[in-house]
């Protein structure tokens, strides 16, 4: 049985300001770092993990490195396939700015955003590599809310309908004989002990 823990990165200033991040390289803010520390502390007290793979974007990379330091587990590699879905022209803009620039129907326009299926296929490709190369192990994949949501939806379409996940949430899937099972979804209990989150 192979276990995959999907972790969304900690919060950033752009998250708070409602700015579309996509493939923009935005770092964690202080709260995001504290969230990652809280998750790392939790993971250190739960089942052991064998490896960490992360998106190469700063907010995921920093989250993975904070977790890795606590678990004494270096990040195995940074996988560009785990990057957030590219937002094209909307990256760096708020909803209000998008409406002012392109109107209320901006979602229907061609703004160079990455196709949803293409993004999901990237996520699936990374997961399939884990199943082949780390069969029977427990792998943490540190990525982004949109990409994780799209990947989960592709893996288990009947189970996952919403696509957004909370910052530093963990979702755990197991794969046995090519069947997926989800034992934990979008869990952030590690944040509940602190009012600052």
């Amino acid at each position: 049985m192979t276990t995959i823990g999907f972790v969304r990165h900690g919060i950033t200033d752009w998250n708070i300001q409602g700015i579309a991040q996509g493939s923009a390289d935005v770092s964690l803010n202080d709260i995001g770092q504290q969230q990652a520390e809280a998750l790392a502390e939790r993971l250190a007290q739960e089942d052991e993990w064998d490896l960490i793979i992360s998106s190469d974007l700063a907010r995921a990379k920093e989250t993975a490195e904070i977790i890795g330091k606590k678990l004494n587990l270096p990040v195995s590699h940074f996988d560009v396939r785990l990057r957030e879905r590219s937002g094209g022209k909307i990256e760096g803009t708020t909803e209000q700015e998008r409406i002012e620039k392109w109107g209320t129907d901006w979602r229907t326009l061609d703004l160079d955003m990455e196709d949803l299926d293409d993004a999901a296929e990237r996520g699936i490709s990374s997961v399939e590599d884990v199943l082949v190369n780390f069969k029977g192990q427990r792998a943490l994949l540190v990525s982004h809310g949109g990409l994780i949501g799209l990947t989960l939806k592709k893996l288990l379409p009947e189970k996952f309908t919403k696509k957004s996940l909370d910052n530093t949430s963990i979702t755990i899937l197991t794969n046995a004989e090519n069947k997926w099972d989800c034992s934990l979804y979008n869990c952030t209990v590690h944040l509940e002990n602190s009012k600052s989150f």
Side-chain angles (χ1 to χ4, degrees):
M1 184 169 73
T2 306
T3 302
I4 296 180
F6 292 94
V7 172
R8 185 186 176 196
H9 62 80
I11 205 163
T12 69
D13 285 341
W14 281 24
N15 283 142
I16 292 168
Q17 294 159 16
I19 298 172
Q21 294 180 116
S23 57
D25 208 14
V26 182
S27 294
L28 298 178
N29 61 20
D30 290 346
I31 293 173
Q33 289 172 1
Q34 290 165 26
Q35 290 176 327
E37 296 276 2
L39 176 58
E41 192 66 45
R42 170 189 175 178
L43 293 174
Q45 294 167 19
E46 295 180 352
D47 292 331
E48 286 189 18
W49 293 90
D50 298 306
L51 67 145
I52 303 171
I53 300 168
S54 173
S55 154
D56 65 331
L57 296 178
R59 56 197 186 271
K61 188 177 179 183
E62 290 167 24
T63 302
E65 287 171 341
I66 288 169
I67 292 167
K69 187 175 178 187
K70 185 70 183 176
L71 301 186
N72 201 20
L73 203 60
V75 179
S76 299
H77 63 277
F78 297 99
D79 188 342
V80 295
R81 292 173 298 179
L82 292 175
R83 282 184 170 197
E84 182 60 289
R85 176 189 177 214
S86 171
K89 293 174 183 170
I90 75 160
E91 289 184 8
T93 67
T94 62
E95 175 77 14
Q96 189 56 43
E97 288 168 336
R98 293 191 283 277
I99 289 168
E100 285 168 12
K101 200 166 187 177
W102 299 296
T104 52
D105 292 334
W106 65 266
R107 286 179 180 81
T108 64
L109 304 176
D110 179 8
L111 298 173
D112 299 327
M113 295 172 73
E114 183 179 7
D115 181 78
L116 291 168
D117 280 336
D118 290 347
E121 284 303 328
R122 279 197 290 113
I124 294 291
S125 171
S126 185
V127 166
E128 285 173 346
D129 276 4
V130 171
L131 294 179
V132 170
N133 299 316
F134 304 103
K135 188 176 168 68
Q137 296 189 53
R138 294 172 55 81
L140 283 172
L141 301 189
V142 184
S143 185
H144 307 265
L147 195 277
I148 295 170
L150 291 166
T151 304
L152 293 174
K153 198 171 178 201
K154 196 92 171 172
L155 287 173
L156 287 166
E158 69 291 338
K159 185 169 180 70
F160 300 112
T161 49
K162 79 168 202 168
K163 292 194 294 284
S164 62
L165 291 114
D166 298 321
N167 289 103
T168 67
S169 66
I170 181 162
T171 298
I172 298 179
L173 265 62
T174 53
N175 184 286
E177 296 169 12
N178 290 325
K179 286 199 176 75
W180 287 103
D181 187 50
C182 178
S183 60
L184 193 67
Y185 176 67
N186 196 31
C187 184
T188 55
V189 294
H190 49 281
L191 302 183
E192 291 168 13
N193 300 328
S194 175
K195 293 183 177 68
S196 62
F197 303 138

